[in-house]
Amino acid sequence: MKKRYLSVALVVALAGSMMMTSCIGSFSLTNKLLSWNRQVGNKFVNELVFFAFWVIPVYEVSCLADVLVINSIEFWSGTNPVAKGKKVIDGHDGRYLVECDGKGYTITSENDGSIVRLDFDADRQTWSVDAGQGAMPFMTFVDDNHVSMPAADGTMQTVELSQAGVMAYSQSAATGLFASR
């Protein structure tokens, strides 16, 4: 009888905690696990690992940890502890070390040691870039469908978040780049 009450209490507590947060979260732990699985090998190996992780309940545990613990930390603190970390990226012109601290990214070129910092200001909904000469805002979220970005003439231009909007901005930036040369 006591075991049944404990089970019911646990289910009610879990359901209540999920209904009280109102934050979807980024599910960083589960996404990192899935991303790792995609890089294991060819599609057949990936499928076998996926199936094994589903049977062993690795995915279930990671999803539950995201929903109950990590999502709550992200909701209350504004940062995701799993999102932090380092990754080496091989680009077309060299290798880069990307470090995430939960608020932004530090990108270090292994070629020349140059450092670029990308930061997000949640209050102003603005991403800024600092390449050593001070932070400069480069994208501010206006609403769900628009951002404000620098135009070639130095003013800010509203860009629609669609394929057409991004293409129009790209063309105006390229035109401005060629006009300034």
Side-chain angles (χ1 to χ4, degrees):
M1 191 68 98
K2 283 186 178 184
K3 187 175 182 180
R4 183 171 181 205
Y5 286 121
L6 179 62
S7 298
V8 170
L10 185 60
V11 168
V12 169
L14 291 175
S17 69
M18 285 190 278
M19 288 189 269
M20 301 290 186
T21 59
S22 77
C23 176
I24 294 173
S26 60
F27 290 87
S28 293
L29 180 63
T30 305
N31 286 327
K32 279 189 174 190
L33 184 61
L34 289 169
S35 177
W36 172 83
N37 184 15
R38 287 185 190 109
Q39 298 173 1
V40 171
N42 64 32
K43 66 181 184 178
F44 301 108
V45 174
N46 293 349
E47 182 64 21
L48 290 173
V49 171
F50 177 81
F51 184 71
F53 278 11
W54 191 258
V55 171
I56 297 172
V58 173
Y59 287 125
E60 292 90 335
V61 170
S62 71
C63 190
L64 188 64
D66 270 330
V67 169
L68 297 178
V69 178
I70 298 169
N71 185 39
S72 297
I73 292 170
E74 184 177 9
F75 177 76
W76 291 107
S77 71
T79 61
N80 188 313
V82 177
K84 300 174 185 178
K86 296 179 184 181
K87 185 172 186 175
V88 175
I89 297 176
D90 291 315
H92 293 293
D93 57 347
R95 290 172 52 112
Y96 299 91
L97 175 65
V98 180
E99 297 179 68
C100 179
D101 60 11
K103 296 280 186 189
Y105 302 90
T106 302
I107 304 167
T108 306
S109 170
E110 291 186 356
N111 298 340
D112 59 8
S114 61
I115 298 173
V116 174
R117 175 73 189 169
L118 300 172
D119 283 305
F120 183 69
D121 181 348
D123 294 333
R124 296 183 334 173
Q125 291 291 298
T126 300
W127 278 99
S128 61
V129 61
D130 185 353
Q133 295 103 15
M136 181 179 115
F138 71 90
M139 182 169 61
T140 301
F141 291 91
V142 176
D143 58 33
D144 289 342
N145 299 315
H146 298 88
V147 294
S148 179
M149 297 187 66
D153 61 2
T155 63
M156 296 302 278
Q157 175 182 349
T158 300
V159 179
E160 180 183 346
L161 295 176
S162 67
Q163 185 175 1
V166 171
M167 186 169 286
Y169 178 76
S170 176
Q171 288 175 347
S172 71
T175 302
L177 179 65
F178 289 123
S180 67
R181 287 187 176 196

